[in-house]
């Protein structure tokens, strides 16, 4: 004979059936995927938080270096101004080339080196500057050439020696004491010398 179900047991069975139905409904609605999404929020949020903290730290360090960066920029500006004081004064390539020719003539007169010919070459763009080249052919002895190059090196205006070609050339020289001519060898130097002007002027 079947046992009669008590009121309490009936309530448990109804509650269990209800939970089973609810689970089946939620399973069809995609509950497992929703739960998977919820469980993945933790690591992703932690990674984003770490990235943001790293970015904030980088900003903080940049702000901390603001004073030192300002001092570095000021020192660099002073250094650039000092370098640019050595540029040729001419505002255009032709004027700057004429300034360079004048300086080379002064140095050659002082050193005893005789300039036989001069030629202004096309200027060349060098970053923010224009390179102004002048080619000369000069003659003299080794001492004259040395004095000329030392004067170029000591010039307050920047002058670079781009290339030098040397060869000896014979000539006849009068000796005053004997009033006779003797054969001597001179050095002929072909040189390309360059100065700079600011490219923003052109």
């Amino acid at each position: 004979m079947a046992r009669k179900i008590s009121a309490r047991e009936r309530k448990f069975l109804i509650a269990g059936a209800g939970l089973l139905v609810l689970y089946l409904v939620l399973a069809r609605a995609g509950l497992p995927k929703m739960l998977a999404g919820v469980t993945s929020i933790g690591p992703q949020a932690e990674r984003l938080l770490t990235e943001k903290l790293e970015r904030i730290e980088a900003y903080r360090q940049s702000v901390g270096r603001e004073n030192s960066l300002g001092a570095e920029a000021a020192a660099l500006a002073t250094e650039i101004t000092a370098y640019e004081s050595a540029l040729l004064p001419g505002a255009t390539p032709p004027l700057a080339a004429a300034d360079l020719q004048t300086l080379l003539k002064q140095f050659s007169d002082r050193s005893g080196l005789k300039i036989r010919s001069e030629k202004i070459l096309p200027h060349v763009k060098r970053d923010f500057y224009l390179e102004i080249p002048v080619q000369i052919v000069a003659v003299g002895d080794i001492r004259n050439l040395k004095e000329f190059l030392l004067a170029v090196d000591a010039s307050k205006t920047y002058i670079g020696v781009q290339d030098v070609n040397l060869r000896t050339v014979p000539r006849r020289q009068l000796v005053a004491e004997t009033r006779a001519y003797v054969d001597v060898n001179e050095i002929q130097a072909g040189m390309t010398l360059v100065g700079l002007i600011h490219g923003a002027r052109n």
Side-chain angles (χ1 to χ4, degrees):
M1 187 173 177
R3 186 173 67 85
K4 187 176 180 180
I5 300 174
S6 68
R8 185 177 179 185
E9 289 174 335
R10 188 179 299 109
K11 288 179 181 179
F12 279 126
L13 287 173
I14 293 171
L19 288 174
L20 179 61
V21 169
L22 179 63
Y23 174 78
L24 292 174
V25 169
L26 290 176
R28 293 190 64 182
L31 179 64
K33 290 182 181 179
M34 291 170 59
L35 291 175
V38 171
T39 57
S40 67
I41 288 175
Q44 183 178 1
E46 185 177 351
R47 179 176 58 80
L48 291 174
L49 178 62
T50 301
E51 289 177 0
K52 286 186 178 181
L53 289 175
E54 289 175 353
R55 193 173 304 167
I56 290 170
E57 177 63 18
Y59 288 153
R60 188 186 65 78
Q61 290 180 2
S62 296
V63 171
R65 289 193 63 218
E66 186 176 352
N67 292 335
S68 64
L69 289 174
E72 288 174 19
L76 183 59
T78 302
E79 191 174 352
I80 290 173
T81 301
Y83 277 124
E84 291 193 343
S85 68
L87 299 180
L88 290 166
T92 63
L95 291 175
D99 292 331
L100 180 54
Q101 286 177 305
T102 299
L103 285 172
L104 297 179
K105 181 70 166 60
Q106 292 172 359
F107 297 154
S108 65
D109 289 345
R110 231 179 283 162
S111 64
L113 195 69
K114 296 174 183 176
I115 296 179
R116 298 295 191 202
S117 66
E118 299 174 84
K119 182 181 180 183
I120 299 173
L121 302 178
H123 62 269
V124 179
K125 181 79 171 172
R126 300 290 185 194
D127 294 327
F128 299 105
Y129 302 95
L130 294 181
E131 186 180 83
I132 310 298
V134 171
Q135 190 179 70
I136 66 171
V137 176
V139 293
D141 60 29
I142 190 66
R143 181 182 58 81
N144 302 140
L145 179 61
K146 176 186 173 184
E147 292 297 324
F148 176 82
L149 291 175
L150 286 174
V152 167
D153 185 59
S155 174
K156 291 181 180 179
T157 300
Y158 167 77
I159 302 175
V161 181
Q162 202 168 65
D163 65 64
V164 179
N165 294 308
L166 303 177
R167 70 185 184 93
T168 58
V169 291
R171 73 174 178 87
R172 291 182 63 77
Q173 178 175 320
L174 177 65
V175 180
E177 293 81 4
T178 62
R179 295 186 178 181
Y181 285 93
V182 295
D183 292 327
V184 295
N185 286 324
E186 284 186 323
I187 294 177
Q188 178 175 293
M191 292 179 277
T192 301
L193 301 109
V194 299
L196 295 171
I197 63 173
H198 206 287
R201 296 182 185 176
N202 303 278

